[in-house]
Amino acid sequence: MPVSTEIPPYGLQLVLDFVNTLDVEQHADALATPAQLAGWLRDRGLLDVDGPDIRAGEHRAALELREALRRVMRAHNGSDGDQAAAVAALDHAALAGQLSVRFERDGTVQVAPRDAGYAGILAQLLVPVARAAADGAWVRAKACDADDCQEAFYDRSRNRSARWCDMAVCGNRTKVRAYRSKRVT
């Protein structure tokens, strides 16, 4: 359960939902097949209903993007794991989709992928990240600190210190484990 039921800014809910398609605790993947990925993308208006089928390599790229986002969100929560591969995967997705700044006729500025294919669809998932990074909101997108959970959530705490998706569940479990390990030793 997320820290807050309010919708995160800049469309970050799409990114959180994408990361949460893998339920680490239940070992359930809502994007286990290319068809499931296509359905998920169609339900969110990212893939045309009559668009081409997703191939195995494209499916693999989406799962790699999802896990790269999760690793960066874990880093936002203090994980000290190597982020080089995650950052490289995010850079690759942005580059492949030609994610760039676009100026409209009315002078407004948009961040959007220029690639009209599947790479552009994946890059579209990075648009909220780019928008949220401008004011620091991206670092509030975190993955739960509990290794057996890792659910993505938006940290609405005043001091940006939320560690768990739900203090009553994951936070409590972690604290009980720590308490028990101290008593046993």
Side-chain angles (χ1 to χ4, degrees), residues 42 47-53:
R42 284 185 183 108
L47 182 65
D48 291 334
V49 173
D50 56 345
D53 291 337

Side-chain angles (χ1 to χ4, degrees), residues 76-149:
H76 291 169
N77 211 355
S79 172
D80 58 358
D82 180 24
Q83 298 303 313
V87 170
L90 296 178
D91 278 342
H92 175 75
L95 184 62
Q98 302 172 28
L99 193 60
S100 60
V101 174
R102 301 177 85 165
F103 294 90
E104 304 297 330
R105 289 182 185 245
D106 65 358
T108 58
V109 179
Q110 301 291 324
V111 175
R114 293 190 184 274
D115 183 271
Y118 183 74
I121 291 169
L122 289 184
Q124 188 66 38
L125 291 165
L126 297 176
V127 170
V129 172
R131 292 176 58 209
D135 75 352
W138 168 234
V139 296
R140 287 182 177 266
K142 298 179 176 183
C144 184
D145 200 31
D147 288 333
D148 58 347
C149 178

Side-chain angles (χ1 to χ4, degrees), residues 1-141:
M1 179 178 350
V3 171
S4 172
T5 58
E6 294 180 45
I7 297 173
Y10 306 111
L12 280 173
Q13 190 62 51
L14 174 67
V15 179
L16 300 175
D17 290 346
F18 180 61
V19 171
N20 288 336
T21 57
L22 176 64
D23 185 332
V24 173
E25 188 173 18
Q26 300 296 320
H27 306 287
D29 190 348
L31 306 181
T33 67
Q36 288 173 315
L37 172 61
W40 191 90
L41 293 169
R42 284 185 183 108
D43 288 348
R44 282 141 190 90
L46 297 172
L47 182 65
D48 291 334
V49 173
D50 56 345
D53 291 337
I54 293 177
R55 297 182 301 244
E58 295 167 336
H59 179 246
R60 193 170 33 258
L63 299 184
E64 288 171 6
L65 176 61
R66 177 182 69 189
E67 293 316 304
L69 286 164
R70 183 186 318 280
R71 285 193 307 270
V72 169
M73 288 180 187
R74 292 200 77 195
H76 291 169
N77 211 355
S79 172
D80 58 358
D82 180 24
Q83 298 303 313
V87 170
L90 296 178
D91 278 342
H92 175 75
L95 184 62
Q98 302 172 28
L99 193 60
S100 60
V101 174
R102 301 177 85 165
F103 294 90
E104 304 297 330
R105 289 182 185 245
D106 65 358
T108 58
V109 179
Q110 301 291 324
V111 175
R114 293 190 184 274
D115 183 271
Y118 183 74
I121 291 169
L122 289 184
Q124 188 66 38
L125 291 165
L126 297 176
V127 170
V129 172
R131 292 176 58 209
D135 75 352
W138 168 234
V139 296
R140 287 182 177 266

